[in-house]
Amino acid sequence: NAGVTQTPKFQVLKTGQSMTLQCAQDMNHEYMSWYRQDPGMGLRLIHYSVGAGITDQGEVPNGYNVSRSTTEDFPLRLLSAAPSQTSVYFCASSYLGGGTDTQYFGPGTRLTVL
Amino acid sequence: GQQVMQIPQYQHVQEGEDFTTYCNSSTTLSNIQWYKQRPGGHPVFLIQLVKSGEVKKQKRLTFQFGEAKKNSSLHITATQTTDVGTYFCAGRSGNQFYFGTGTSLTVIP
């Protein structure tokens, strides 16, 4: 199993540009989520999904869109990048319930917005 | 809104000393998880606590979940250089996970 994969690993954008961060998992997990990690602020939940066709907002959803058309994929879209979106982005997946909510994280995407 | 605070933010210890990080939530949690993130890496799951007052051990690591299910701690006995990294707690409330701010541990050989 590849686990959780993310592409790209690094990205530099100019203010106003759009892009999609890709996330895929091969563990048949219902739950997928996107976090951003900023120094001194831990990981903050952007959006999450409990299954294909279902998405919901987390703590910091503004400026980001998501969709979940398949169980495996959960892309994160930045429609008009801003310098405040410079961060490290992690995608994670897990089962829900069943006694454990272990979240498996991808390797991350380091995004810089100029 | 939901807040999960973690202290201290940084901790430097001599190798062989003990280390503790504390996690406090503003609301009751369904469960609490602990993760470790090595420098430049991604968070890796360590353990999950579910029951009020639960205590779990993993070799030199001891995890506790408070009676009110609003606080937790991670204690490492006799730290080693391999323990270096940032330790995060994460509390589940509904379908959302709230991460603490993390404690960055430096172990001085």
Side-chain angles (χ1 to χ4, degrees), chain B:
Chain B
Q2 177 85 32
Q3 283 191 328
V4 178
M5 304 302 295
Q6 203 172 337
I7 56 169
Q9 188 173 1
Y10 301 97
Q11 185 77 57
H12 292 71
V13 298
Q14 293 282 342
E15 189 173 15
E17 291 181 337
D18 292 356
F19 159 77
T20 304
T21 174
Y22 300 91
C23 181
N24 290 286
S25 170
S26 58
T27 60
T28 302
L29 302 168
S30 308
N31 61 46
I32 193 119
Q33 303 174 346
W34 285 91
Y35 292 81
K36 178 182 179 180
Q37 184 178 23
R38 294 183 184 275
H42 59 274
V44 175
F45 176 82
L46 292 176
I47 207 162
Q48 175 172 288
L49 305 169
V50 178
K51 299 177 183 177
S52 170
E54 190 170 12
V55 178
K56 287 188 175 180
K57 292 189 176 184
Q58 286 181 348
K59 297 183 180 178
R60 295 178 294 104
L61 279 61
T62 302
F63 304 84
Q64 292 187 316
F65 199 11
E67 294 290 341
K69 301 183 77 172
K70 295 177 69 173
N71 62 287
S72 181
S73 65
L74 157 60
H75 179 83
I76 302 178
T77 303
T79 54
Q80 300 176 357
T81 54
T82 53
D83 296 325
V84 165
T86 301
Y87 293 84
F88 292 98
C89 61
R92 179 178 174 182
S93 181
N95 284 328
Q96 296 199 35
F97 293 87
Y98 296 89
F99 277 77
T101 46
T103 296
S104 175
L105 173 63
T106 300
V107 179
I108 304 164

Side-chain angles (χ1 to χ4, degrees), chain A residues 14-72:
Chain A
K14 294 182 179 178
T15 298
Q17 287 186 316
S18 63
M19 78 160 297
T20 300
L21 307 186
Q22 301 291 344
C23 175
Q25 52 94 7
D26 61 359
M27 296 173 282
N28 202 32
H29 287 163
E30 307 100 324
Y31 188 91
M32 295 187 74
S33 55
W34 277 101
Y35 294 89
R36 59 176 290 172
Q37 184 173 32
D38 302 294
M41 301 190 73
L43 292 101
R44 293 182 292 168
L45 182 64
I46 304 172
H47 286 283
Y48 65 97
S49 168
V50 298
I54 306 169
T55 63
D56 210 341
Q57 297 181 347
E59 290 179 82
V60 289
N62 292 342
Y64 308 95
N65 280 351
V66 291
S67 59
R68 185 94 179 271
S69 56
T70 67
T71 299
E72 294 78 19

Side-chain angles (χ1 to χ4, degrees), chain A residues 5-14 16-24 34 46 63-69 73-81 85 89 91 108-111 113:
Chain A
T5 58
Q6 289 183 241
T7 56
K9 289 187 178 180
F10 300 94
Q11 184 71 50
V12 179
L13 292 177
K14 294 182 179 178
Q17 287 186 316
S18 63
M19 78 160 297
T20 300
L21 307 186
Q22 301 291 344
C23 175
W34 277 101
I46 304 172
Y64 308 95
N65 280 351
V66 291
S67 59
R68 185 94 179 271
S69 56
D73 301 296
F74 192 43
L76 178 72
R77 297 183 185 85
L78 284 71
L79 297 179
S80 179
Q85 294 178 305
Y89 291 85
C91 178
T109 295
R110 296 182 181 275
L111 175 67
V113 183

